[in-house]
Amino acid sequence: MPVPATSGEFTVRTPDGLTLAASRHGATAGPEIILIHGLGQSRLSWSRQLTGRLAETCRIVSYDLRGHGDSSKPADIAAYSDPALWADDLHAVIEASGFTRPILVGWSLGGLIAGYYLRKYGLRENGRDRIGGVNLVGAVTKLAPELLGPAALAHVELLGSPDLAVRSDAYATFLAACFATPPDDAEFRRMLVFNGMVPREVQLAVPNLDSDGLDEVWAALPKLLVTWGAEERHTRLEMSQRVLDLNPAATLSIFEGAAHAPFYEYPERFNRELAAFARA
């Protein structure tokens, strides 16, 4: 039986003194889920995961990455260049949530961040599993040009341009390329606003993040779901397929008709699959 829903905003302090904005949604009992958004996005990106069966049966926390949404935005490339900082942020969110064995859902850049967290903190702590599993969604699992899609490659320099006009146009085209079917005007305007809130320093730092040691993380995960949209233009299928090759226990779910954000374009199916994965 579904249990009563709860919701609320809270803040998380990072080890280096930043403040992250987070939201708690869903049931008061059940599997724990942490939603980790992608580059330029925010916790609002997950609006379609906060209703229906997923929210009725699971405890959900989403948060704004450093430099995104309502979280702190240092004007310093160094604040975004060290994978350990992104790992520490996620660790702080998990601790503040009170979660003990969450499912990590990493969308795009969020996949790298989930990997950084597990690379630094490990899969187990004091004899128990640190997480319940990972769902990689259109995720970057290795920063390599041959694994990125044409939309991502076309925007690397544009998103970090010193020219505000160029950068602003790039936010719009980068965002539009996330969808096979465009969101309605009101939704797209809201998404564009939070994309435009991200400092240029983030866009300059992220393409240079390392992927060292992450293949060992993906290979060791006992529970791994890989979600990919067949109309994807930001990551190639090879980006996801390589994880299946590394980890025979992983499963692949391809969403026909979806692009980089299958959780938004096909929320009922995505939520159903994530709920089943979280319960398994």
Side-chain angles (χ1 to χ4, degrees), residues 39 108-109 138 140 142-160 170 173-175 177-178 203 206-207 232-236 239 260:
L39 177 63
S108 197
L109 172 63
V140 177
K142 180 178 181 180
L143 268 174
E146 67 274 14
L147 299 175
L148 295 172
L153 293 172
H155 285 87
V156 171
E157 293 187 6
L158 298 177
L159 289 170
T173 54
F174 180 85
L175 178 61
C178 290
Q203 307 290 357
V206 165
E232 170 74 88
R233 284 166 282 176
H234 286 285
T235 66
R236 298 186 183 279
M239 180 80 83
H260 194 48

Side-chain angles (χ1 to χ4, degrees), residues 68-215:
H68 294 70
D70 284 333
S71 292
S72 297
K73 299 175 178 63
D76 181 357
I77 294 176
Y80 311 103
S81 299
D82 185 352
L85 295 174
W86 300 94
D88 289 343
D89 289 355
L90 177 52
H91 181 69
V93 169
I94 294 171
E95 293 288 305
S97 302
F99 286 175
T100 59
R101 194 170 174 267
I103 299 291
L104 304 181
V105 181
W107 172 38
S108 197
L109 172 63
L112 271 187
I113 293 170
Y116 292 154
Y117 166 74
L118 293 170
R119 182 178 71 180
K120 179 171 183 179
Y121 288 92
L123 291 174
R124 296 179 64 80
E125 179 185 28
N126 298 326
R128 66 170 182 84
D129 292 337
R130 192 180 289 279
I131 61 165
V134 174
N135 181 193
L136 296 171
V137 185
V140 177
T141 59
K142 180 178 181 180
L143 268 174
E146 67 274 14
L147 299 175
L148 295 172
L153 293 172
H155 285 87
V156 171
E157 293 187 6
L158 298 177
L159 289 170
S161 172
D163 187 322
L164 178 58
V166 171
R167 208 159 65 244
S168 298
D169 289 343
Y171 293 147
T173 54
F174 180 85
L175 178 61
C178 290
F179 308 98
T181 302
D184 65 39
D185 288 346
E187 288 272 329
F188 190 80
R189 285 195 300 270
R190 183 173 71 167
M191 295 174 187
L192 192 55
V193 167
F194 58 67
N195 272 257
M197 293 169 66
V198 177
R200 176 174 173 245
E201 289 80 5
V202 175
Q203 307 290 357
L204 292 172
V206 165
N208 297 306
L209 290 170
D210 76 66
S211 308
D212 298 342
L214 294 187
D215 282 0

